[in-house]
Amino acid sequence: MFTRVLVANRGEIAVRVTRTLHRMGVEAVAVHSEPERDAVHVRTADAAVCLGPGPVGDSYLRADRIIEAAKETGAQAVHPGYGLLSENPDFAEACARAGLVFIGPSAEAMRAMGSKIEARNRMMTAGVPVVPGSLEPVRDLGHAFATAGEIGYPVAVKASGAGGGKGFRVAATPDDLKAAIAGASGEGARFFGDPTVYLERYLDDPRHVEVQILGDVHGNVVHLSERDCSIQRRHQKLVEESPAVHVSARIRARIGEIAVAAARAVGYHSAGTVEGLLDGEDFYFLEMNTRIQVEHPVTELVTGIDLVEQQVRIAAGEPLSFTQDDVRLDGHAIECRINAENAAKRFLPAPGTITAYQEPEGEHVRVDSGVEKGTALLPFYDPMIAKLIVWGPDRAAATARMRQALDDFRIDGIATLLPFHRALLATGQWERGETCKDLIEDRHWLNDV
Ligand code: MV4
């Protein structure tokens, strides 16, 4: 096992990774920007290296500085967290060249999943169901109209290099197709350097269901069941839960097997997520996320498995210590993302300084946070400052515990999503396990939270 690991991230995920490293008897090296030298994630680590000024391009995205920091401090491995450099295959390769273990999948697996068109083709070949549509890029408008006509309207237009909702448009009729392609292609070029788009059948109000998998370097792959992340605003997840509502044991077993097949198709090792759409009983592969995800704690609370510990053990070459049959689901877990945003003002980011901070406590209440009283929120970074995660024997009990914990959570000095979550979890739509799409995108009740 490693004796020192560099955590190449900030905020709550850096704190959370460090906590597991310490429990495993491994030292953690933090990295930070100049304005974050006193941040929680720096203080909890055993050593820290300053990367540069506040903007991520000058600090947390400086792969060269991070690798230098790991070498200087005697770390043997690098944990990238999520976002930032976590899905950058060039960074994973640069780590390897410097003699550092990248705690994540191979660069090849990341590249294979990075192109959505390539991923769709690989999955088709592996027998994994994908959303019906084209398996090739749109060549020109004439080709697009012909393909969309075969698929049938409405069609989804998606950028191949995209992920997480950028570069996604819907054409309800042929009249919308040209603009939808221009929109998706423009975003693909702008955000991912690739204007290539492809077409899928548009599913009306599907559920966003994703399966957590773990693979080791010896070829063992298991799934840890699914999460439902259907409650989103503009593709930003707000609430996640496990297990998914309205998923029977039979469907769970089937989508779990699909996810394991998807992971095997790219020789995947480490923790990964197979993201899909659930339309009635039909599950379709969308994309694979090759990192630890923000919402991983809900899976930890229903399986009792520490996913970061598993990532570290896998990176150290250990085989998985359990099989699929050993994975047991117990109860229900919910996570609310606590963003520094004002829901009443169209989720406008709310910078400022935290003047009072009191976390809820109690059995089966977990807070993963990277802030404290006095923390100044800087415009360069992710507005998600904490995650509130609870467990209960069933969904209703978990909901009741979450509502109490939301009431007990006090954050002063900035606007947060606490009032939004309190209001959302009190609705009948949440109680019935609906997707809450209409409730979040454009409802008047948000003006009061
Ligand atoms: C879709 C879809 C409907 N039909 N694809 C794209 C990015 C991913 N994160 C969600 N995406 C969707 N892709 C087809 N062919 C609907 C969505 C979608 C969505 C799905 C489930 C729950 C919430 C959603 C919010 C926005 C978009």
Side-chain angles (χ1 to χ4, degrees), residues 241-243 245 302 330-334 390-402 430:
E241 60 187 317
S242 184
V245 263
V302 294
D330 181 24
H332 199 95
I334 303 169
V390 304
W391 180 91
D394 56 35
R395 190 170 186 267
T399 297
R401 190 166 271 145
M402 178 61 89
W430 166 266

Side-chain angles (χ1 to χ4, degrees), residues 96-364:
R97 275 198 305 276
L100 296 163
V101 177
F102 177 79
I103 301 179
S106 67
E108 296 74 54
M110 286 191 219
R111 284 204 180 92
M113 290 303 185
S115 158
K116 303 304 156 210
I117 294 179
E118 184 185 336
R120 268 168 74 77
N121 278 282
R122 280 208 185 215
M123 292 306 138
M124 276 287 271
T125 308
V128 170
V130 301
V131 186
S134 78
L135 287 169
E136 48 178 49
V138 167
R139 288 192 296 274
D140 52 51
L141 264 186
H143 178 226
F145 277 107
T147 310
E150 284 166 30
I151 294 170
Y153 289 87
V155 293
V157 184
K158 296 187 177 185
S160 183
K166 283 251 163 40
F168 171 61
R169 291 286 191 284
V170 182
T173 68
D175 290 341
D176 304 331
L177 190 58
K178 193 176 165 189
I181 288 173
S185 180
E187 275 183 16
R190 210 159 48 251
F191 296 104
F192 308 98
D194 182 1
T196 310
V197 299
Y198 64 100
L199 306 179
E200 284 177 356
R201 181 192 300 157
Y202 176 72
L203 309 173
D204 184 48
D205 209 19
R207 302 196 75 91
H208 174 122
V209 171
E210 57 183 35
V211 185
Q212 179 68 54
I213 67 101
L214 281 175
D216 65 22
V217 296
H218 309 280
N220 303 301
V221 184
V222 299
H223 74 83
L224 303 185
S225 89
E226 79 291 343
R227 298 183 284 261
D228 189 315
C229 313
S230 299
I231 296 189
Q232 307 182 7
R233 178 182 180 271
R234 300 201 176 166
H235 306 289
Q236 296 300 314
K237 295 168 187 167
L238 296 169
V239 183
E240 303 98 346
E241 60 187 317
S242 184
V245 263
H246 311 309
V247 166
S248 64
R250 181 176 58 85
I251 298 176
R252 172 162 308 117
R254 188 166 54 79
I255 66 178
E257 281 165 24
I258 290 171
V260 168
R264 286 193 188 284
V266 288
Y268 199 86
H269 68 83
S270 195
T273 300
V274 175
E275 206 180 287
L277 297 177
L278 188 66
D279 188 34
E281 296 206 340
D282 297 322
F283 180 79
Y284 301 109
F285 172 87
L286 265 193
E287 56 191 65
M288 183 161 183
N289 299 320
T290 58
R291 59 172 188 275
I292 188 87
Q293 288 192 274
V294 172
E295 59 271 29
H296 75 277
V298 292
T299 299
E300 296 184 326
L301 293 194
V302 294
T303 61
I305 294 169
D306 181 328
L307 287 164
V308 172
E309 176 184 345
Q310 294 303 318
Q311 284 186 300
V312 174
R313 293 196 180 285
I314 291 164
E318 293 183 18
L320 289 178
S321 62
F322 53 88
T323 65
Q324 190 66 60
D325 285 342
D326 299 324
V327 179
R328 291 267 184 278
L329 287 193
D330 181 24
H332 199 95
I334 303 169
E335 171 177 282
C336 288
R337 296 192 186 194
I338 313 302
N339 297 355
E341 291 174 339
N342 190 336
K345 290 191 178 153
R346 289 184 291 132
F347 291 77
L348 203 72
T353 296
I354 298 176
T355 54
Y357 185 79
Q358 181 66 54
E359 293 181 350
E361 287 169 6
E363 234 193 326
H364 305 305

Side-chain angles (χ1 to χ4, degrees), residues 399-413:
T399 297
R401 190 166 271 145
M402 178 61 89
R403 292 182 65 187
Q404 183 63 53
L406 286 165
D407 284 344
D408 294 346
F409 208 154
R410 178 175 168 208
I411 306 175
D412 292 346

